[in-house]
């Protein structure tokens, strides 16, 4: 701030300056117009017949001290036409173009800031009044923009119709799906009950196939219990329920592969049947059981965990596998043998933990029934989950803000690309934004749509995408998408103003709303 003495001096210069700059027409007699730099809308706050009250109410001063090039008011309001206050504001009328407010510190700083040159009335800088020229250019621009809005608005109206239609469709579909979902939940429950019942029947049927070990009687419990185990095992072996156990029936079970060559030979089977081609229960319990039992105990070793079995060098195969191998090796020779070695390894991996049991018909039917019921239940469960997911997806869509007239709805799911020197960017509306290097590599997630973040009154002018891939030593990547009116939906530009914070510009007819045009041309 300048001293009052200085001020007097400036006043004299000011007076001379006014003579020099009378072209500006703001001179009233020997003084600068006290209202110089005041917008017309605030004229009434500067009544010439009263003391001036600073606009912040902090001080009252004689009116003669307004625009006297000395700053009195804390808010700078007493010096609207000079640069005396560092925080004041100078109003350029700019007739022919748009009026403007510039910081009063720019007044008489030898730089033309107002297009009418009114800010340089005391400096020796000659400012050309080019407001009319600029006004004409601005008018043309404004006309072009207005035309774009009109054109775009036609498409916007179509988008509104589409958006509303989509909303209706979603509502209808949602109602239908909710009903389907209820029905599917019931079906699922029904299938679950059927499955549980079938599994229970299967479980009961499989009881008798539990490893014999579990059914072994305590050592001191005597013959009776042992007989029961033998009887049970007889039933298991008698797969055709003929009342006798035959050589063929024994040949289906690896338990009886005494020499572990992969097949149960006739001799081996006969050994367990006391050289009889078939035996009935009584003889089985009395004679055969004694032969069979030690091998059954060995089989129980097969129930050990796989790794233990491996350590012991045990190897299980089904009768069929063993038979196949023997046959192919003998008929095909050396090469085939090498292949087999490989195949054999693969089969090893596929071997189940439990020995391959051949179930009686009834049990097998119950196993199949349980598997079938489980499959049906899984199908019903998947169908119910799919419908529920669809319901949630639709609910989400219906809750989403697609603009006051649903104009952004039809853009949901649309993706746009923009390529710059280094990257290919992709923006999926209401979805995900990503970045991919032109030289290859995977997509970098720049974030997912979160919310509209435009300024008050123009909320739909900006979208925020966030929670993208976290930047090394920095924030999670995010994008602000600025939407502007355009006749096509297009990703116009992408930049990274701050590390891992991206700015995209998207043109869309959805923004061509004549009602949004607040940036009007005054003072034309
Ligand atoms: C990648 C890109 C850039 C980003 C850096 C940050 O190179 O995602 O946009 O600035 O990582 O390390």
């Amino acid at each position: 701030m300048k001293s009052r003495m200085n001020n007097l001096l400036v006043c004299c210069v000011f007076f001379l300056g006014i003579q020099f700059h009378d072209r500006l027409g703001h001179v009233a007699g020997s003084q600068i117009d006290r209202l110089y730099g005041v917008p017309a809308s605030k004229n009434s706050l500067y009544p010439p017949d009263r003391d001036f009250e600073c606009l912040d109410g902090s001080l009252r001063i004689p009116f003669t001290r307004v625009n006297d090039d000395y700053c009195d008011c804390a808010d700078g309001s007493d010096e609207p036409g000079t640069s005396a206050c560092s925080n004041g504001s100078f109003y350029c009328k700019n007739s022919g173009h748009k009026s403007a407010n510039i910081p009063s510190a720019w007044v008489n700083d030898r730089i033309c800031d107002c297009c009418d040159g009114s800010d340089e009335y005391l400096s020796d800088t000659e400012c050309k009044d080019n407001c009319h020229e600029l006004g004409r250019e601005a008018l043309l621009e404004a006309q072009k923009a207005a035309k774009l809005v009109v054109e775009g608005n036609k498409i916007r109206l179509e988008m509104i119709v589409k958006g509303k239609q989509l909303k209706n469709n979603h509502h209808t579909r949602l109602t239908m799906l909710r009903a389907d979902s209820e029905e599917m939940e019931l079906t699922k429950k029904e299938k679950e009950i059927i499955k549980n019942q079938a599994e229970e029947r299967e479980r009961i049927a499989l009881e008798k196939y539990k490893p014999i070990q579990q059914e072994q009687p305590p050592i001191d419990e005597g013959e009776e219990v042992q007989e029961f185990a033998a009887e049970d095992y007889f039933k298991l072996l008698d797969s055709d329920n003929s009342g006798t156990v035959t050589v063929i029936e024994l040949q289906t079970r690896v338990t009886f592969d005494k020499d572990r060559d992969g097949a149960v030979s006739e001799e081996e089977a006969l050994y367990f049947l006391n050289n009889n081609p078939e035996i009935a229960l009584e003889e089985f319990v009395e004679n055969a059981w004694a032969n069979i039992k030690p091998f059954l105990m060995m089989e129980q070793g097969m129930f050990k965990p796989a790794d233990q079995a491996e350590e012991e060098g045990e190897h299980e195969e089904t009768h069929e596998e063993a038979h196949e191998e023997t046959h192919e090796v003998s008929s095909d020779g050396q090469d085939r043998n090498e292949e087999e070695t490989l195949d054999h390894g693969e089969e090893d991996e596929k071997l189940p933990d439990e020995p391959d049991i051949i179930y009686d018909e009834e049990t097998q039917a119950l196993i199949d029934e349980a598997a079938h019921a489980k499959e049906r239940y899984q199908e019903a469960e998947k169908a119910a989950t799919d419908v529920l997911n669809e319901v949630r997806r639709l609910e989400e869509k219906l809750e989403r803000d697609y603009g006051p007239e649903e104009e952004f709805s039809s853009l949901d799911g649309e993706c746009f690309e923009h390529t710059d020197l280094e990257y290919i960017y992709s923006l999926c509306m209401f979805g995900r934004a990503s970045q991919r290097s032109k030289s290859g590599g995977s997509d970098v997630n720049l974030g997912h749509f979160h919310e509209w973040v435009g300024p008050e009154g123009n909320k739909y002018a900006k979208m925020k995408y966030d929670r993208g891939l976290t930047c090394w030593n920095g924030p999670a990547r995010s994008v602000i998408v600025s939407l502007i009116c355009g006749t096509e939906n297009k990703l116009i530009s992408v930049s990274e103003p701050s590390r891992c914070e991206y700015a995209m510009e998207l043109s869309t007819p959805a923004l061509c709303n004549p009602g949004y045009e607040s940036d009007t041309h005054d003072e034309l």
Side-chain angles (χ1 to χ4, degrees), residues 17 50 59 93 151 171 203:
R50 266 184 264 156
L59 192 69
K93 198 169 176 213
E151 287 303 304
H171 269 301
R203 190 188 64 73

Side-chain angles (χ1 to χ4, degrees), residues 422-423 425 435 444 446 471-472 477 496 498-500 502:
E422 230 183 310
Y423 300 106
Y425 289 92
Q435 176 198 54
V444 173
L446 301 185
C471 213
W472 187 77
R477 285 173 173 80
E496 191 179 347
S498 163
R499 198 166 147 264
C500 295
Y502 303 82

